[in-house]
């Protein structure tokens, strides 16, 4: 299973999952492979149960792309958990990933860096 550890606010995040049977071989899920997205320790998901799509007809390989926008509830410097659930070979399985949401100004580039200004550091640390 794979998921980036950061997302950029107002951009897409793509994540995948490879379902496997008890021997470790790729296996299709029985039914949907679902995911939910939670902010920090909030019990109510910002993206509720949604089915992932099978990718390229590969056995047990699923992919999804979500819009990490403010309209979908994402915020800068918040942590989000993606929880993926499925039933594979009659066994219910779950996997989770943590993703830190950054603003476009926080992402490293050739001309700027994530926490290179006092204002960004203060915002990240939650101090005035």
């Amino acid at each position: 299973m794979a998921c980036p550890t950061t997302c950029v606010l107002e951009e897409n995040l793509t994540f995948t999952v490879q379902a496997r049977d008890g021997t470790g071989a790729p296996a299709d899920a029985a039914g949907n492979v679902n995911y939910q997205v939670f902010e920090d320790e909030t019990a109510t998901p910002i993206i509720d149960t949604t089915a992932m799509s099978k990718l390229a007809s590969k056995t047990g390989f699923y992919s999804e792309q979500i819009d990490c926008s403010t309209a979908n509830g994402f915020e800068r410097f918040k942590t989000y958990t993606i929880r993926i659930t499925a039933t594979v070979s009659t066994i219910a399985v779950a996997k989770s990933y943590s993703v830190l949401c950054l603003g476009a100004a926080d992402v490293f580039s050739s001309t700027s860096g994530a926490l290179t200004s006092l204002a960004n550091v203060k915002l990240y640390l939650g101090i005035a």
Side-chain angles (χ1 to χ4, degrees):
M1 297 186 184
C3 181
T5 57
T6 58
C7 67
V8 179
L9 193 60
E10 307 303 336
E11 293 188 15
N12 291 328
L13 171 72
T14 303
F15 55 97
T16 60
V17 60
Q18 175 63 65
R20 298 182 183 279
D21 66 15
T23 69
D28 286 333
N32 290 335
V33 174
N34 295 312
Y35 72 94
Q36 295 174 296
V37 179
F38 298 87
E39 180 183 296
D40 292 334
E41 293 186 312
T42 305
T44 303
I46 64 168
I47 299 176
D48 208 354
T49 304
T50 305
M52 295 179 72
S53 300
K54 194 168 180 185
L55 186 63
S57 300
K58 299 294 181 185
T59 302
F61 191 49
Y62 301 86
S63 176
E64 192 60 39
Q65 187 175 74
I66 55 176
D67 178 13
C68 299
S69 65
T70 54
N72 283 339
F74 287 83
E75 298 176 59
R76 187 174 175 206
F77 297 132
K78 295 280 185 159
T79 301
Y80 297 89
T81 299
I82 301 171
R83 185 173 189 264
I84 302 169
T85 57
T87 299
V88 182
S89 300
T90 71
I91 299 170
V93 295
K95 178 71 178 178
S96 62
Y97 294 105
S98 291
V99 178
L100 174 65
C101 187
L102 299 174
D106 306 314
V107 179
F108 289 105
S109 71
S110 60
T111 58
S112 66
L115 299 174
T116 58
S117 73
L118 180 58
N120 281 354
V121 171
K122 284 183 174 182
L123 181 62
Y124 179 76
L125 294 174
I127 57 177

PDB file of all heavy atoms in Angstrom, residues 4 9 19 24 30 39 44 49 112 114 121:
ATOM      1  N   PRO A   4       1.423   9.175  -0.338  1.00  0.00           N
ATOM      2  CA  PRO A   4       2.367  10.227   0.038  1.00  0.00           C
ATOM      3  C   PRO A   4       2.111  10.690   1.476  1.00  0.00           C
ATOM      4  O   PRO A   4       0.998  10.549   1.990  1.00  0.00           O
ATOM      5  CB  PRO A   4       2.060  11.350  -0.956  1.00  0.00           C
ATOM      6  CG  PRO A   4       1.390  10.681  -2.099  1.00  0.00           C
ATOM      7  CD  PRO A   4       0.625   9.536  -1.508  1.00  0.00           C
ATOM      8  N   LEU A   9      -2.538  21.903  -0.352  1.00  0.00           N
ATOM      9  CA  LEU A   9      -3.877  22.477  -0.338  1.00  0.00           C
ATOM     10  C   LEU A   9      -4.252  22.947  -1.737  1.00  0.00           C
ATOM     11  O   LEU A   9      -3.447  23.576  -2.424  1.00  0.00           O
ATOM     12  CB  LEU A   9      -3.919  23.634   0.665  1.00  0.00           C
ATOM     13  CG  LEU A   9      -5.300  24.166   1.039  1.00  0.00           C
ATOM     14  CD1 LEU A   9      -6.156  23.079   1.676  1.00  0.00           C
ATOM     15  CD2 LEU A   9      -5.168  25.342   1.987  1.00  0.00           C
ATOM     16  N   ALA A  19      -4.158  -5.149  -2.677  1.00  0.00           N
ATOM     17  CA  ALA A  19      -4.764  -6.173  -1.821  1.00  0.00           C
ATOM     18  C   ALA A  19      -4.047  -7.502  -2.044  1.00  0.00           C
ATOM     19  O   ALA A  19      -3.661  -7.830  -3.166  1.00  0.00           O
ATOM     20  CB  ALA A  19      -6.246  -6.302  -2.139  1.00  0.00           C
ATOM     21  N   GLY A  24       0.173 -13.734   0.474  1.00  0.00           N
ATOM     22  CA  GLY A  24       0.898 -12.558  -0.001  1.00  0.00           C
ATOM     23  C   GLY A  24       0.731 -12.295  -1.482  1.00  0.00           C
ATOM     24  O   GLY A  24       1.258 -11.326  -2.010  1.00  0.00           O
ATOM     25  N   ALA A  30     -13.378  -8.766  -2.213  1.00  0.00           N
ATOM     26  CA  ALA A  30     -14.768  -9.190  -2.382  1.00  0.00           C
ATOM     27  C   ALA A  30     -15.623  -7.961  -2.109  1.00  0.00           C
ATOM     28  O   ALA A  30     -15.776  -7.550  -0.970  1.00  0.00           O
ATOM     29  CB  ALA A  30     -15.098 -10.320  -1.414  1.00  0.00           C
ATOM     30  N   GLU A  39      -9.855  14.260   9.830  1.00  0.00           N
ATOM     31  CA  GLU A  39      -8.953  15.351  10.193  1.00  0.00           C
ATOM     32  C   GLU A  39      -8.534  15.183  11.644  1.00  0.00           C
ATOM     33  O   GLU A  39      -9.387  15.044  12.535  1.00  0.00           O
ATOM     34  CB  GLU A  39      -9.647  16.699  10.026  1.00  0.00           C
ATOM     35  CG  GLU A  39      -8.758  17.879  10.398  1.00  0.00           C
ATOM     36  CD  GLU A  39      -9.501  19.201  10.278  1.00  0.00           C
ATOM     37  OE1 GLU A  39      -9.894  19.544   9.150  1.00  0.00           O
ATOM     38  OE2 GLU A  39      -9.676  19.865  11.316  1.00  0.00           O
ATOM     39  N   THR A  44     -15.727  12.288  13.003  1.00  0.00           N
ATOM     40  CA  THR A  44     -16.556  12.395  11.809  1.00  0.00           C
ATOM     41  C   THR A  44     -15.652  12.623  10.599  1.00  0.00           C
ATOM     42  O   THR A  44     -14.880  13.580  10.573  1.00  0.00           O
ATOM     43  CB  THR A  44     -17.555  13.563  11.936  1.00  0.00           C
ATOM     44  OG1 THR A  44     -18.340  13.368  13.113  1.00  0.00           O
ATOM     45  CG2 THR A  44     -18.452  13.635  10.720  1.00  0.00           C
ATOM     46  N   THR A  49     -17.353   7.266   3.526  1.00  0.00           N
ATOM     47  CA  THR A  49     -17.097   6.029   2.803  1.00  0.00           C
ATOM     48  C   THR A  49     -17.277   6.187   1.297  1.00  0.00           C
ATOM     49  O   THR A  49     -18.361   6.484   0.814  1.00  0.00           O
ATOM     50  CB  THR A  49     -18.008   4.910   3.327  1.00  0.00           C
ATOM     51  OG1 THR A  49     -17.802   4.787   4.734  1.00  0.00           O
ATOM     52  CG2 THR A  49     -17.705   3.593   2.651  1.00  0.00           C
ATOM     53  N   SER A 112      12.071  28.772  -2.925  1.00  0.00           N
ATOM     54  CA  SER A 112      11.564  28.917  -1.555  1.00  0.00           C
ATOM     55  C   SER A 112      11.548  27.558  -0.873  1.00  0.00           C
ATOM     56  O   SER A 112      11.647  26.530  -1.513  1.00  0.00           O
ATOM     57  CB  SER A 112      10.153  29.524  -1.558  1.00  0.00           C
ATOM     58  OG  SER A 112       9.253  28.622  -2.153  1.00  0.00           O
ATOM     59  N   ALA A 114       9.864  25.206   2.759  1.00  0.00           N
ATOM     60  CA  ALA A 114       8.659  25.039   3.565  1.00  0.00           C
ATOM     61  C   ALA A 114       8.582  26.015   4.726  1.00  0.00           C
ATOM     62  O   ALA A 114       7.666  26.806   4.813  1.00  0.00           O
ATOM     63  CB  ALA A 114       8.558  23.611   4.068  1.00  0.00           C
ATOM     64  N   VAL A 121       6.806  29.647  10.171  1.00  0.00           N
ATOM     65  CA  VAL A 121       7.156  28.870  11.360  1.00  0.00           C
ATOM     66  C   VAL A 121       6.147  29.104  12.475  1.00  0.00           C
ATOM     67  O   VAL A 121       5.663  28.167  13.114  1.00  0.00           O
ATOM     68  CB  VAL A 121       8.593  29.200  11.832  1.00  0.00           C
ATOM     69  CG1 VAL A 121       8.884  28.564  13.181  1.00  0.00           C
ATOM     70  CG2 VAL A 121       9.608  28.764  10.795  1.00  0.00           C
TER      71      VAL A 121
END
